[in-house]
Amino acid sequence: GNSVTQMEGPVTLSEEAFLTINCTYTATGYPSLFWYVQYPGEGLQLLLKATKADDKGSNKGFEATYRKETTSFHLEKGSVQVSDSAVYFCALGGKAAGNKLTFGGGTRVLVKP
Amino acid sequence: GAVVSQHPSWVICKSGTSVKIECRSLDFQATTMFWYRQFPKQSLMLMATSNEGSKATYEQGVEKDKFLINHASLTLSTLTVTSAHPEDSSFYICSASSGGLSGGNTIYFGEGSWLTVV
């Protein structure tokens, strides 16, 4: 079946540090890949997505590239801010995944000033 | 942009009672809605897929008689937790899609509903 594995947190960083959150997946077919962010007490917001191999999703300074050869979709940001403190979820979905989203375990990120 | 709204945001109910959570798509028609459950500091677990005008499809291990889902219109799906128990206390989140996830369609999530059963 489909599964998503992402690095466990919490990840604690200083402001302006480089952030990487690893995400790998197993799936049949060619799923779409997503990163969602959840701020404290809120629901999930789509951060970025990629629908096919070698696509790069980007938003708010975050980037992730769909790597089919390594089945990965690592999230990166070059210079984090305190406001980036949240829980980040990697997910896969799409027609190949039966139109359902499968989430990774989530990675809590804490950015200190 | 598209908005999905859940109501209530917070609900406390007594053990043995039933509670209904609504999920509305505010500016688009959602043929499919999904209900997830999230335990503290854990990931989201898909409970069921709600299809407008037909029965919901439940994930393995989810009791369909306990978690009743109704998707009577293209803008509203409801989740009713029947005979609630303290172990049902959780964060319930819905999401909505105007179609399948193939191509560029986007899933939009509601704000979530905190259920506490006492």
Side-chain angles (χ1 to χ4, degrees), chain A residues 42-59:
Chain A
E42 299 183 14
L44 271 70
Q45 300 175 28
L46 177 65
L47 181 59
L48 53 85
K49 65 180 180 182
T51 59
K52 60 183 187 297
D54 299 326
D55 264 4
K56 177 186 282 188
S58 61
N59 185 28

PDB file of all heavy atoms in Angstrom, chain A residues 42-59:
ATOM      1  N   GLU A  42      -4.779  25.216  14.453  1.00  0.00           N
ATOM      2  CA  GLU A  42      -5.457  25.419  13.167  1.00  0.00           C
ATOM      3  C   GLU A  42      -5.502  24.136  12.359  1.00  0.00           C
ATOM      4  O   GLU A  42      -4.876  23.141  12.684  1.00  0.00           O
ATOM      5  CB  GLU A  42      -4.744  26.507  12.366  1.00  0.00           C
ATOM      6  CG  GLU A  42      -4.719  27.872  13.046  1.00  0.00           C
ATOM      7  CD  GLU A  42      -4.053  28.925  12.175  1.00  0.00           C
ATOM      8  OE1 GLU A  42      -3.843  28.689  10.976  1.00  0.00           O
ATOM      9  OE2 GLU A  42      -3.745  29.998  12.721  1.00  0.00           O
ATOM     10  N   GLY A  43      -6.262  24.181  11.269  1.00  0.00           N
ATOM     11  CA  GLY A  43      -6.303  23.062  10.343  1.00  0.00           C
ATOM     12  C   GLY A  43      -5.106  23.089   9.418  1.00  0.00           C
ATOM     13  O   GLY A  43      -4.164  23.861   9.607  1.00  0.00           O
ATOM     14  N   LEU A  44      -5.118  22.243   8.431  1.00  0.00           N
ATOM     15  CA  LEU A  44      -3.990  22.150   7.510  1.00  0.00           C
ATOM     16  C   LEU A  44      -4.131  23.127   6.352  1.00  0.00           C
ATOM     17  O   LEU A  44      -5.225  23.369   5.849  1.00  0.00           O
ATOM     18  CB  LEU A  44      -3.891  20.734   6.938  1.00  0.00           C
ATOM     19  CG  LEU A  44      -3.055  19.755   7.737  1.00  0.00           C
ATOM     20  CD1 LEU A  44      -3.748  19.415   9.027  1.00  0.00           C
ATOM     21  CD2 LEU A  44      -2.767  18.515   6.920  1.00  0.00           C
ATOM     22  N   GLN A  45      -2.999  23.635   5.948  1.00  0.00           N
ATOM     23  CA  GLN A  45      -2.962  24.496   4.769  1.00  0.00           C
ATOM     24  C   GLN A  45      -1.978  23.897   3.773  1.00  0.00           C
ATOM     25  O   GLN A  45      -0.893  23.466   4.149  1.00  0.00           O
ATOM     26  CB  GLN A  45      -2.479  25.902   5.137  1.00  0.00           C
ATOM     27  CG  GLN A  45      -3.337  26.625   6.148  1.00  0.00           C
ATOM     28  CD  GLN A  45      -2.728  27.954   6.549  1.00  0.00           C
ATOM     29  OE1 GLN A  45      -2.011  28.583   5.783  1.00  0.00           O
ATOM     30  NE2 GLN A  45      -3.005  28.378   7.765  1.00  0.00           N
ATOM     31  N   LEU A  46      -2.381  23.888   2.522  1.00  0.00           N
ATOM     32  CA  LEU A  46      -1.463  23.411   1.497  1.00  0.00           C
ATOM     33  C   LEU A  46      -0.307  24.391   1.370  1.00  0.00           C
ATOM     34  O   LEU A  46      -0.501  25.596   1.191  1.00  0.00           O
ATOM     35  CB  LEU A  46      -2.196  23.288   0.155  1.00  0.00           C
ATOM     36  CG  LEU A  46      -1.338  22.860  -1.027  1.00  0.00           C
ATOM     37  CD1 LEU A  46      -0.821  21.441  -0.831  1.00  0.00           C
ATOM     38  CD2 LEU A  46      -2.128  22.968  -2.325  1.00  0.00           C
ATOM     39  N   LEU A  47       0.897  23.859   1.460  1.00  0.00           N
ATOM     40  CA  LEU A  47       2.077  24.700   1.330  1.00  0.00           C
ATOM     41  C   LEU A  47       2.588  24.681  -0.114  1.00  0.00           C
ATOM     42  O   LEU A  47       2.819  25.711  -0.713  1.00  0.00           O
ATOM     43  CB  LEU A  47       3.175  24.212   2.278  1.00  0.00           C
ATOM     44  CG  LEU A  47       4.483  24.997   2.288  1.00  0.00           C
ATOM     45  CD1 LEU A  47       4.246  26.448   2.668  1.00  0.00           C
ATOM     46  CD2 LEU A  47       5.479  24.351   3.256  1.00  0.00           C
ATOM     47  N   LEU A  48       2.739  23.482  -0.646  1.00  0.00           N
ATOM     48  CA  LEU A  48       3.161  23.345  -2.028  1.00  0.00           C
ATOM     49  C   LEU A  48       2.863  21.932  -2.504  1.00  0.00           C
ATOM     50  O   LEU A  48       2.587  21.041  -1.703  1.00  0.00           O
ATOM     51  CB  LEU A  48       4.649  23.675  -2.211  1.00  0.00           C
ATOM     52  CG  LEU A  48       5.658  22.958  -1.322  1.00  0.00           C
ATOM     53  CD1 LEU A  48       6.045  21.608  -1.896  1.00  0.00           C
ATOM     54  CD2 LEU A  48       6.916  23.812  -1.151  1.00  0.00           C
ATOM     55  N   LYS A  49       2.958  21.751  -3.811  1.00  0.00           N
ATOM     56  CA  LYS A  49       2.681  20.433  -4.361  1.00  0.00           C
ATOM     57  C   LYS A  49       3.462  20.229  -5.655  1.00  0.00           C
ATOM     58  O   LYS A  49       3.958  21.183  -6.267  1.00  0.00           O
ATOM     59  CB  LYS A  49       1.194  20.257  -4.634  1.00  0.00           C
ATOM     60  CG  LYS A  49       0.666  21.185  -5.726  1.00  0.00           C
ATOM     61  CD  LYS A  49      -0.812  20.958  -5.962  1.00  0.00           C
ATOM     62  CE  LYS A  49      -1.322  21.890  -7.050  1.00  0.00           C
ATOM     63  NZ  LYS A  49      -2.783  21.731  -7.292  1.00  0.00           N
ATOM     64  N   ALA A  50       3.553  18.974  -6.058  1.00  0.00           N
ATOM     65  CA  ALA A  50       4.166  18.613  -7.339  1.00  0.00           C
ATOM     66  C   ALA A  50       3.403  17.424  -7.882  1.00  0.00           C
ATOM     67  O   ALA A  50       3.079  16.495  -7.142  1.00  0.00           O
ATOM     68  CB  ALA A  50       5.641  18.276  -7.166  1.00  0.00           C
ATOM     69  N   THR A  51       3.093  17.459  -9.130  1.00  0.00           N
ATOM     70  CA  THR A  51       2.226  16.432  -9.688  1.00  0.00           C
ATOM     71  C   THR A  51       2.936  15.398 -10.532  1.00  0.00           C
ATOM     72  O   THR A  51       2.347  14.366 -10.867  1.00  0.00           O
ATOM     73  CB  THR A  51       1.100  17.074 -10.521  1.00  0.00           C
ATOM     74  OG1 THR A  51       1.701  17.847 -11.555  1.00  0.00           O
ATOM     75  CG2 THR A  51       0.222  17.957  -9.665  1.00  0.00           C
ATOM     76  N   LYS A  52       4.197  15.649 -10.889  1.00  0.00           N
ATOM     77  CA  LYS A  52       4.918  14.640 -11.660  1.00  0.00           C
ATOM     78  C   LYS A  52       6.404  14.734 -11.381  1.00  0.00           C
ATOM     79  O   LYS A  52       6.899  15.723 -10.825  1.00  0.00           O
ATOM     80  CB  LYS A  52       4.639  14.776 -13.149  1.00  0.00           C
ATOM     81  CG  LYS A  52       5.021  16.102 -13.756  1.00  0.00           C
ATOM     82  CD  LYS A  52       4.634  16.134 -15.235  1.00  0.00           C
ATOM     83  CE  LYS A  52       5.140  17.367 -15.921  1.00  0.00           C
ATOM     84  NZ  LYS A  52       4.564  18.616 -15.389  1.00  0.00           N
ATOM     85  N   ALA A  53       7.099  13.701 -11.791  1.00  0.00           N
ATOM     86  CA  ALA A  53       8.536  13.604 -11.536  1.00  0.00           C
ATOM     87  C   ALA A  53       9.277  14.828 -12.048  1.00  0.00           C
ATOM     88  O   ALA A  53       8.983  15.352 -13.128  1.00  0.00           O
ATOM     89  CB  ALA A  53       9.082  12.331 -12.169  1.00  0.00           C
ATOM     90  N   ASP A  54      10.239  15.280 -11.248  1.00  0.00           N
ATOM     91  CA  ASP A  54      11.112  16.419 -11.521  1.00  0.00           C
ATOM     92  C   ASP A  54      10.414  17.776 -11.368  1.00  0.00           C
ATOM     93  O   ASP A  54      11.065  18.814 -11.513  1.00  0.00           O
ATOM     94  CB  ASP A  54      11.755  16.323 -12.903  1.00  0.00           C
ATOM     95  CG  ASP A  54      12.626  15.091 -13.034  1.00  0.00           C
ATOM     96  OD1 ASP A  54      13.246  14.701 -12.023  1.00  0.00           O
ATOM     97  OD2 ASP A  54      12.681  14.500 -14.122  1.00  0.00           O
ATOM     98  N   ASP A  55       9.126  17.764 -11.079  1.00  0.00           N
ATOM     99  CA  ASP A  55       8.436  19.015 -10.784  1.00  0.00           C
ATOM    100  C   ASP A  55       8.981  19.588  -9.493  1.00  0.00           C
ATOM    101  O   ASP A  55       9.276  18.848  -8.550  1.00  0.00           O
ATOM    102  CB  ASP A  55       6.928  18.767 -10.609  1.00  0.00           C
ATOM    103  CG  ASP A  55       6.173  19.024 -11.882  1.00  0.00           C
ATOM    104  OD1 ASP A  55       6.804  19.310 -12.910  1.00  0.00           O
ATOM    105  OD2 ASP A  55       4.921  18.932 -11.837  1.00  0.00           O
ATOM    106  N   LYS A  56       9.059  20.906  -9.426  1.00  0.00           N
ATOM    107  CA  LYS A  56       9.431  21.559  -8.169  1.00  0.00           C
ATOM    108  C   LYS A  56       8.257  22.396  -7.711  1.00  0.00           C
ATOM    109  O   LYS A  56       7.771  23.259  -8.445  1.00  0.00           O
ATOM    110  CB  LYS A  56      10.666  22.450  -8.366  1.00  0.00           C
ATOM    111  CG  LYS A  56      11.053  23.214  -7.103  1.00  0.00           C
ATOM    112  CD  LYS A  56      12.181  24.203  -7.351  1.00  0.00           C
ATOM    113  CE  LYS A  56      13.513  23.525  -7.422  1.00  0.00           C
ATOM    114  NZ  LYS A  56      14.635  24.505  -7.475  1.00  0.00           N
ATOM    115  N   GLY A  57       7.813  22.139  -6.498  1.00  0.00           N
ATOM    116  CA  GLY A  57       6.799  22.981  -5.894  1.00  0.00           C
ATOM    117  C   GLY A  57       7.478  24.037  -5.042  1.00  0.00           C
ATOM    118  O   GLY A  57       8.499  23.786  -4.424  1.00  0.00           O
ATOM    119  N   SER A  58       6.899  25.237  -5.021  1.00  0.00           N
ATOM    120  CA  SER A  58       7.503  26.291  -4.209  1.00  0.00           C
ATOM    121  C   SER A  58       6.430  27.254  -3.721  1.00  0.00           C
ATOM    122  O   SER A  58       5.430  27.494  -4.404  1.00  0.00           O
ATOM    123  CB  SER A  58       8.572  27.044  -5.009  1.00  0.00           C
ATOM    124  OG  SER A  58       7.994  27.655  -6.144  1.00  0.00           O
ATOM    125  N   ASN A  59       6.659  27.790  -2.538  1.00  0.00           N
ATOM    126  CA  ASN A  59       5.713  28.737  -1.959  1.00  0.00           C
ATOM    127  C   ASN A  59       6.327  29.300  -0.681  1.00  0.00           C
ATOM    128  O   ASN A  59       6.906  28.553   0.120  1.00  0.00           O
ATOM    129  CB  ASN A  59       4.379  28.054  -1.647  1.00  0.00           C
ATOM    130  CG  ASN A  59       3.325  29.024  -1.158  1.00  0.00           C
ATOM    131  OD1 ASN A  59       3.350  30.202  -1.492  1.00  0.00           O
ATOM    132  ND2 ASN A  59       2.395  28.523  -0.363  1.00  0.00           N
TER     133      ASN A  59
END
